[in-house]
Amino acid sequence: MSPRTATGAAVLRTEITRDISRAVFDELVEHGYARVSMEAVAKRAGVGKSALYRRWPGKRDMVIAVLADFSVPRAVLPDTGSLRGDVLALLHGLHEWVTHPAFGRILADLVAEANRDPGLAEATHAAVGEPRRALAADILHRAIARDELPADLDVDVALDVLAGPLYWRVGVRSTPATPDYLDRLADFVLRALGA
Amino acid sequence: MSPRTATGAAVLRTEITRDISRAVFDELVEHGYARVSMEAVAKRAGVGKSALYRRWPGKRDMVIAVLADFSVPRAVLPDTGSLRGDVLALLHGLHEWVTHPAFGRILADLVAEANRDPGLAEATHAAVGEPRRALAADILHRAIARDELPADLDVDVALDVLAGPLYWRVGVRSTPATPDYLDRLADFVLRALGA
């Protein structure tokens, strides 16, 4: 094969993967994790089931790969140069993630399903939770390096304090969080961290 | 009727209500809110559907009444005499509520379902969320009265900071929270509140 043909095939494969990912996402929004099937995803994406099984061993891995692709890059944050700027960027990014009209539903379904399926909980943790948490920890380590936070900061608790209040408000209590609210929350978080 | 007969009937009604509540709870654990039906609850409780409809106009009100009965009394906290004691009591109570083997599942299902059903979200908010939040606010008002917290405390943010990190950890991330963790979290919360 010429390089050109190889490129064409690669492009085609990427496009198919993208179509499948969209179909997974749409199926999750409409039906929730428990009722999504490989059949329905294949049909929606306009591909054969074999195209799915060539990429992932089954439904769980397929769903988690799609959600990780959606979720992890959104947790990559710029270094704003200050802890306050970084915390605000994190809160705005988290807000966008949790209140995304389609993904917000998917996330809530997934949390519920993970309560019934420890394997799903563990896999989601590994592919989505931990990478996002490591990215958030970067903010804390940068602030320690800048002497904005104590070197013996309890990072484990700090990360829960960074994400928890906003998730509780918008993801559980379904209560809006205005930009002004995020500013006020940042004040609480900075005090909590000992900044 | 003699007073004695009236009391007997009242006791019977209370027992039937208790049986129905247990049936609602068990159906919710096994099947999740979306798949619970009045028929299944009546059958499980060993009563006719009319016994349910005499008490509640429909499934939503029935479920919410049962969950409020379970959830609101658990948020009534003793006055320990100090903000730190009160915050720790709240965190321990919240931990018990969210990690209750049956209720933890019900709660996660309910949050997911509320994402698809704004009426359910609103009703849960009114019957469970708001009363629990008012009870938590008592802690803050007591601390303000004791001069442990500033009088101009941002109570709205403070309540999210009290509950959010622990829910995020155990309810979303499925990560254990040891008593030592709760102690360390209390340190963060107290700093956040400006204590």
Side-chain angles (χ1 to χ4, degrees):
Chain A
M1 280 193 287
S2 73
R4 187 161 177 182
T5 312
T7 306
V11 167
L12 182 63
R13 275 197 305 276
T14 305
E15 279 176 7
I16 292 174
T17 303
R18 202 194 53 206
D19 290 347
I20 296 172
S21 295
R22 278 193 194 151
V24 171
F25 210 85
D26 292 343
E27 284 289 312
L28 285 170
V29 174
E30 275 178 34
H31 306 298
Y33 178 81
R35 278 168 291 170
V36 166
S37 70
M38 298 298 265
E39 286 78 1
V41 169
K43 197 173 164 197
R44 188 163 205 144
V47 299
K49 279 208 286 176
S50 59
L52 272 52
Y53 284 108
R54 264 200 302 279
R55 287 167 173 80
W56 306 285
K59 167 175 149 180
R60 180 195 291 170
D61 293 86
M62 177 181 75
V63 165
I64 287 176
V66 169
L67 298 185
D69 276 355
F70 178 84
S71 300
V72 178
R74 276 158 208 266
V76 178
L77 296 166
D79 181 350
T80 67
S82 76
L83 176 59
R84 188 183 174 84
D86 285 0
V87 165
L88 272 173
L90 179 142
L91 292 176
H92 281 270
L94 178 64
H95 185 258
E96 210 172 286
W97 186 62
V98 178
T99 60
H100 184 285
F103 182 74
R105 255 182 207 195
I106 293 176
L107 181 61
D109 286 337
L110 200 72
V111 170
E113 202 57 39
N115 260 281
R116 295 171 187 277
D117 178 349
L120 177 64
E122 211 173 296
T124 309
H125 200 63
V128 181
E130 282 309 315
R132 284 184 58 96
R133 200 163 166 92
L135 288 163
D138 285 347
I139 288 180
L140 303 176
H141 295 305
R142 286 204 295 261
I144 292 170
R146 280 192 303 252
D147 278 332
E148 282 197 82
L149 286 179
D152 64 348
L153 177 73
D154 189 332
V155 172
D156 189 35
V157 178
L159 290 169
D160 291 337
V161 170
L162 269 172
L166 185 56
Y167 183 83
W168 174 252
R169 185 176 189 89
V170 296
V172 181
R173 298 179 54 238
S174 311
T175 302
T178 60
D180 173 62
Y181 174 87
L182 297 182
D183 263 346
R184 294 185 283 136
L185 176 56
D187 292 338
F188 274 73
V189 169
L190 291 175
R191 278 197 300 270
L193 300 180
Chain B
M1 283 193 283
S2 73
R4 188 161 179 181
T5 313
T7 306
V11 167
L12 182 63
R13 276 197 303 276
T14 305
E15 278 176 7
I16 292 175
T17 302
R18 202 194 51 209
D19 290 348
I20 297 172
S21 296
R22 276 192 197 152
V24 171
F25 209 85
D26 292 344
E27 284 289 312
L28 284 170
V29 174
E30 275 180 35
H31 305 298
Y33 179 81
R35 277 169 293 171
V36 167
S37 69
M38 298 298 266
E39 287 77 3
V41 169
K43 197 174 165 194
R44 189 164 204 143
V47 300
K49 277 208 287 176
S50 59
L52 272 52
Y53 284 109
R54 265 200 300 278
R55 287 167 173 80
W56 306 285
K59 168 175 147 179
R60 179 197 291 171
D61 293 88
M62 177 182 75
V63 166
I64 287 176
V66 169
L67 298 184
D69 276 357
F70 178 84
S71 300
V72 178
R74 276 158 208 266
V76 177
L77 296 166
D79 181 349
T80 67
S82 77
L83 176 60
R84 190 185 171 84
D86 285 359
V87 165
L88 273 172
L90 179 142
L91 292 176
H92 280 270
L94 178 65
H95 185 257
E96 210 172 285
W97 186 62
V98 178
T99 60
H100 184 285
F103 182 74
R105 254 181 207 196
I106 292 176
L107 182 60
D109 286 335
L110 201 71
V111 169
E113 202 57 37
N115 261 282
R116 294 171 186 277
D117 178 349
L120 177 65
E122 214 173 294
T124 310
H125 200 63
V128 180
E130 282 309 314
R132 284 184 58 95
R133 198 161 167 94
L135 288 163
D138 285 347
I139 289 179
L140 303 176
H141 295 305
R142 286 204 296 261
I144 291 169
R146 280 191 305 251
D147 280 331
E148 281 197 82
L149 286 179
D152 64 349
L153 177 73
D154 189 333
V155 172
D156 189 37
V157 178
L159 290 169
D160 292 336
V161 170
L162 269 170
L166 185 56
Y167 183 84
W168 173 253
R169 186 177 189 89
V170 296
V172 180
R173 297 180 52 237
S174 311
T175 302
T178 60
D180 173 61
Y181 173 87
L182 297 183
D183 264 347
R184 294 185 284 135
L185 176 56
D187 293 337
F188 275 72
V189 169
L190 291 175
R191 278 197 301 271
L193 300 180

